[in-house]
């Protein structure tokens, strides 16, 4: 829409300074002729927009002119306030900054759009973490240090816990960027680059040594490719478990197995698993609604955990103090 494009021109010039008609056309994906018409329309509306001729010329706003965002549509205002997730911002130490920014934007909105923003804030809440997890800052104590290293291109020496043996290792990494996925923070870092879970970092030794970030590195594109590769490897190397499920309980990608019906209406299914470690935690959440039949190492691992829990909860609790 033309009105949206006019606002885009204003915001581009406000944030970037002088821009040529060709640069504006490329940014807005329109013709240079369209940019000329839009600039004339802005000038006719009283916007102090000036054009300088010559090699270093271009369009610019009069020094000190600032738009008050009155060109925002209702949908844009709603999306803006829906996009802020206070939990991750707080973990990064940016909670007060996010709140202040939203307050300033809200104050700049006209009354009608302010009502739209307040309405969506009161009706929708983004809760990134999954169930049964506490996404507080205590879970990722080294996140601010990692974020600072990402921002300043500083090398980190980390102590890291992984699920393969040896579990505790030390790594020298060049952190390129942070990703929040389902409430869990990951850092993408060279060499590789490889992906590390921030909550599995046991310690950090910062240093003054800096690295050069590769030109053209796209964090979003790398993460998308990493996820595709992860799922492909999971499909190629995946293992399977055979489990017995209580009535009404289902598992994603489970395949029922043919055989005699269970007396208690339980069903036996085959389900792909990422690893014994991952399946151990996932299946324990289902409690008595699931029984692992295969593989033996998974069944033994769960049996060992259940035995330890039974011993712990079978004895009376011991309280400290007098």
């Amino acid at each position: 829409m033309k009105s949206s494009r006019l606002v885009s021109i204003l915001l581009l010039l406000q944030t970037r300074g002088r821009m040529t008609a060709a640069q504006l056309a490329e940014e807005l994906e329109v013709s240079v002729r369209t940019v000329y018409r839009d600039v004339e329309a802005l000038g006719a509306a009283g916007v102090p927009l000036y054009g300088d001729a010559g090699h270093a010329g271009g369009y610019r706003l009069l020094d000190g002119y600032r738009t008050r965002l009155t060109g925002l549509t209702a949908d844009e205002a709603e999306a803006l306030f829906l996009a802020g997730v206070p939990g991750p911002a707080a973990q990064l130490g940016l909670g007060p900054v996010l709140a202040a920014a939203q307050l300033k934007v809200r104050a700049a909105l006209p009354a009608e759009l302010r009502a739209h923003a307040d309405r969506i804030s009161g009706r929708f809440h983004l809760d990134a973490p999954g169930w049964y997890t506490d996404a507080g800052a205590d879970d990722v104590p080294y996140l601010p240090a990692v974020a600072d290293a990402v921002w300043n291109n500083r090398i980190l020496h980390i102590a890291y816990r992984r699920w393969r043996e040896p579990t505790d290792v030390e790594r020298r990494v060049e952190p390129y960027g942070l990703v929040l996925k389902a409430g869990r923070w990951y850092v993408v870092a060279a060499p590789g680059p490889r992906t590390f879970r921030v909550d599995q970092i046991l310690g950090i030794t910062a240093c003054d040594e800096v690295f050069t970030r590769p030109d053209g590195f796209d964090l979003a594109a790398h993460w998308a490719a990493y996820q595709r590769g992860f799922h492909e490897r999971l499909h190629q190397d995946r293992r399977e478990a055979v489990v017995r499920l209580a009535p009404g309980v289902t598992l994603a990608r489970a395949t029922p197995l043919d055989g005699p019906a269970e007396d208690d209406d339980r069903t036996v299914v085959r389900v792909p698993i990422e690893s014994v470690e991952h399946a151990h935690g996932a299946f324990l959440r289902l409690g008595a609604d699931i029984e692992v039949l295969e593989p033996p190492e998974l069944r033994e691992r769960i049996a060992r955990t259940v035995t330890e829990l039974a011993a712990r909860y079978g004895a009376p609790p011991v309280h400290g103090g007098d």
Side-chain angles (χ1 to χ4, degrees):
M1 294 178 60
K2 180 177 180 180
S3 59
S4 176
R5 195 170 62 246
L6 295 179
V7 174
S8 296
I9 291 177
L10 273 176
L11 294 177
L12 283 169
L13 294 177
Q14 183 172 300
T15 55
R16 300 188 187 180
R18 181 183 285 107
M19 295 182 69
T20 66
Q23 290 172 330
L24 288 168
E26 181 179 2
E27 188 73 30
L28 300 173
E29 298 182 350
V30 297
S31 66
V32 173
R33 185 182 298 273
T34 298
V35 171
Y36 289 150
R37 288 198 297 264
D38 289 345
V39 168
E40 290 178 2
L42 287 170
V47 175
L49 184 65
Y50 294 92
D52 297 326
H55 177 71
Y59 293 108
R60 63 182 179 87
L61 293 170
L62 181 68
D63 291 343
Y65 177 81
R66 308 288 292 180
T67 177
R68 287 183 57 82
L69 303 178
T70 53
L72 279 177
T73 66
D75 288 342
E76 289 167 342
E78 290 173 355
L80 179 64
F81 278 79
L82 183 61
V85 184
Q91 288 181 322
L92 287 169
L94 299 176
V97 177
L98 174 65
Q102 287 191 329
L103 180 62
K104 291 178 181 179
V105 172
R106 184 182 180 279
L109 293 172
E112 180 182 356
L113 296 190
R114 194 179 307 135
H116 278 284
D118 291 342
R119 188 177 304 122
I120 198 166
S121 295
R123 286 165 173 78
F124 296 94
H125 173 66
L126 297 183
D127 185 11
W131 288 105
Y132 309 116
T133 59
D134 179 4
D138 290 342
D139 285 341
V140 279
Y142 297 107
L143 179 61
V146 174
D148 182 72
V150 168
W151 186 253
N152 293 292
N153 293 340
R154 278 208 304 271
I155 291 173
L156 292 175
H157 295 269
I158 65 173
Y160 187 75
R161 175 163 293 163
R162 59 182 188 172
W163 66 272
R164 290 191 183 96
E165 293 287 347
T167 55
D168 294 357
V169 296
E170 294 185 359
R171 294 287 185 265
R172 175 189 181 277
V173 298
E174 300 175 1
Y176 290 169
L178 282 163
V179 175
L180 178 65
K181 173 70 172 179
R184 182 166 287 155
W185 287 99
Y186 298 85
V187 58
V188 177
R194 300 177 61 187
T195 301
F196 300 87
R197 276 177 48 177
V198 179
D199 63 348
Q200 295 302 304
I201 294 177
L202 306 177
I204 285 182
T205 302
C207 62
D208 295 330
E209 187 180 0
V210 298
F211 65 91
T212 301
R213 184 184 176 89
D215 292 336
F217 178 76
D218 187 323
L219 180 61
H222 171 82
W223 182 257
Y226 168 78
Q227 286 190 300
R228 287 194 300 269
F230 173 80
H231 289 296
E232 289 172 0
R233 292 191 301 272
L234 182 61
H235 179 75
Q236 294 170 356
D237 303 330
R238 73 179 184 181
R239 304 184 62 182
E240 292 183 325
V242 177
V243 300
R244 183 182 286 119
L245 299 175
V249 178
T250 60
L251 290 175
R253 297 181 294 167
T255 304
L257 295 182
D258 296 330
E262 298 286 329
D263 294 337
D264 56 359
D265 293 329
R266 291 184 170 238
T267 56
V268 178
V269 301
R270 188 183 304 277
V271 59
I273 61 174
E274 178 181 335
S275 65
V276 169
E277 178 73 22
H278 182 270
H280 169 263
F283 290 168
L284 277 178
R285 295 188 183 98
L286 295 176
D289 288 335
I290 186 173
E291 178 188 357
V292 175
L293 305 178
E294 299 176 11
E297 61 266 33
L298 177 57
R299 181 179 175 90
E300 292 169 4
R301 174 76 183 276
I302 291 181
R304 189 162 59 248
T305 300
V306 172
T307 300
E308 293 172 357
L309 288 173
R312 182 174 302 170
Y313 286 94
V318 177
H319 297 282
D322 297 334

